[in-house]
Amino acid sequence: MAKKPELDRTVVAQNRKARHNYFIEETFEAGLALTGTEVKSLRGGRSTIAESYVTEEGGEAWLVNANIPIYAAGNRNNHEPRRARKLLLHRGQINKLIGAIQREGRTVVPLQVYFNPRGRAKIEIALATGKQAHDKRQSIKDRDWQRQRARMMSSRR
C-alpha cells in the first residue's frame, strides 16, 4: 500500500520505535471509542502508545496498554488511564487483521493517534512482522548509506 500524503491532522501521540522494531506491511485508519475526559486529555498531548498493541476479543479489535493520563480538571467520573479501548473498523478490516494475527503470526501495532479535520480522534495502526536483530542492523546500514550518498551528491554540485 502506498504511503498517503500528510493530511490535515493534529498528531497527539506517535510510536517512533514501531518502524524500527517491525516491518510495516499495511496501514489502517481506525476510530477510537473514547469517553469525554479521554478526548480532553488527548488534546493535552501527554498520551503514549509506545508499548501498546491491538488484540482481538469477541470479534472486535481492542487497543491495549495505551496510556491516556487522567484529565486534571475531571471529576470523580474520570477515566482509567490504561483501560482497553475499542477500535472502530469495518468488519472486513477486522477479519483481515484477525486472520493475519491468528494464521500468519503477525502483529498489529499502533503508529500514531491524531485528530482529523472534523475533530474526531483516529489511530493509525499497521499490520507488521517483527524484525530480528540483524534486520535492524541492516536497516541502520541502509539509512546511513542513503544519508552518506545524499551528502556526497550535494557536495559534488
Side-chain angles (χ1 to χ4, degrees):
M1 183 179 209
K3 178 120 171 119
K4 294 177 186 169
E6 191 61 34
L7 304 172
D8 187 23
R9 54 172 71 164
T10 307
V11 177
V12 291
Q14 282 189 322
N15 187 356
R16 292 192 180 105
K17 294 293 276 182
R19 296 190 190 277
H20 178 72
N21 293 333
Y22 299 97
F23 290 114
I24 305 298
E25 296 168 13
E26 188 173 357
T27 60
F28 299 92
E29 180 184 64
L32 278 167
L34 301 172
T35 63
T37 56
E38 286 175 325
V39 174
K40 290 182 177 192
S41 183
L42 262 181
R43 289 192 190 279
R46 292 188 351 263
S47 59
T48 57
I49 58 169
E51 60 275 347
S52 61
Y53 58 95
V54 177
T55 187
E56 177 268 333
E57 193 173 307
E60 297 174 336
W62 294 85
L63 180 65
V64 179
N65 211 19
N67 184 29
I68 299 177
I70 291 176
Y71 182 56
N75 58 10
R76 66 173 186 248
N77 297 326
N78 226 329
H79 64 277
E80 184 68 34
R82 287 197 177 267
R83 75 174 182 91
R85 292 165 178 92
K86 186 176 176 182
L87 295 181
L88 308 174
L89 290 161
H90 293 288
R91 175 62 49 203
Q93 291 174 324
I94 292 173
N95 291 339
K96 185 174 188 174
L97 292 174
I98 291 170
I101 291 169
Q102 292 176 346
R103 285 190 296 277
E104 301 160 23
R106 293 201 212 141
T107 309
V108 181
V109 293
L111 298 177
Q112 63 182 6
V113 177
Y114 58 92
F115 286 99
N116 70 0
R118 292 180 60 196
R120 306 272 192 237
K122 301 285 184 179
I123 185 166
E124 185 178 13
I125 58 175
L127 195 56
T129 307
K131 283 187 184 179
Q132 303 290 327
H134 61 86
D135 293 328
K136 292 178 189 179
R137 287 193 294 270
Q138 187 60 43
S139 295
I140 292 169
K141 283 181 192 174
D142 292 342
R143 188 173 54 238
D144 288 346
W145 167 242
Q146 293 297 330
R147 225 179 262 140
Q148 189 176 7
R149 194 176 77 187
R151 271 193 219 114
M152 290 186 330
M153 293 301 282
S154 66
S155 66
R156 184 182 275 177
R157 291 181 188 181

